[in-house]
Amino acid sequence: MSRDTDNRTATLYRMVMPDHLCPFGLKTRALLEREGYQVDDNWLETKEDKDSFMERHGVKTTPQVWIGAERIGGYEEVRAHLGKSVKRDDETTYQPVLAIFAVGFLMALAVSWAAFDTVFTLRTVEWFIAISMTLLGLQKLQDVESFSTMFLNYDLLAQRWVRYGKVYPFGETLAGVLMISGALVWISSPIALFIGLVGAVSVFKAVYVEKRELKCACVGGGSNVPLGFISLTENLMMILMGLWMPAKALLM
């Protein structure tokens, strides 16, 4: 449905109650105003107001928007009416894991600058990987149960020893924190190497051998990140650090 360019007035009904201010109502009003609409903002201030409104108009949710005489609907319907993208609940995206890698990279630059007054150091690369591991582990630790459940779909070790899915986030986070400090390499490196190798083999088998379309548990159990290259990259980074840190310690 295209935007109505002849009528720039929108009528909005949204909940504004003493104990509840509808966030989607605010988002809808702000969206309409950004698009140049004059908004007739009507508040539903009690539960009785809301119930009466929904019964009168035959709707099940608020907010509701009319443009001219046409009822458009709620926030997502308004976005669609205005030609904006509408995210589906099952839509896959790389945004969560890319955000983690981007923040990890910026943090590595910041730490390197604080420590050496330059970002052009080998430690910058090490810190980037270690910080990214820590952030990815932290994401999993937010809901270990959901992560471990999703992890069982493809991890070969977790399918044989179910509790491994609950151990994994702690191992990744611990290895990342130790590698940031450069301490206890004899603990962090074997952990990173082990979980990285198992993870890489599991992801490669599931995605590239069996051609399965799965969601990755890399940023926690509730993510819509597709299992594939990004997941494999996480594991390869851990393998790299698991090999590099002890080798560096021996060379120094």
Side-chain angles (χ1 to χ4, degrees), residues 154-155 168 192-193 195-201 203 230-240:
Y154 59 88
D155 189 84
Y168 182 105
L193 187 58
I195 62 180
L197 281 170
V198 173
V201 171
V203 172
I230 296 292
S231 320
L232 191 58
T233 299
E234 177 189 6
N235 289 294
L236 293 176
M237 288 168 61
M238 285 190 280
I239 293 172
L240 175 64

Side-chain angles (χ1 to χ4, degrees), residues 10 49 66 75 88 92-93 97 118 124 162 168 172 174 189 214 235:
D49 288 345
W66 278 257
Y75 174 68
R88 303 188 310 273
T92 59
T93 175
V97 71
T118 178
T124 303
V162 173
Y168 182 105
E172 182 177 26
L174 174 63
S189 292
L214 299 169
N235 289 294

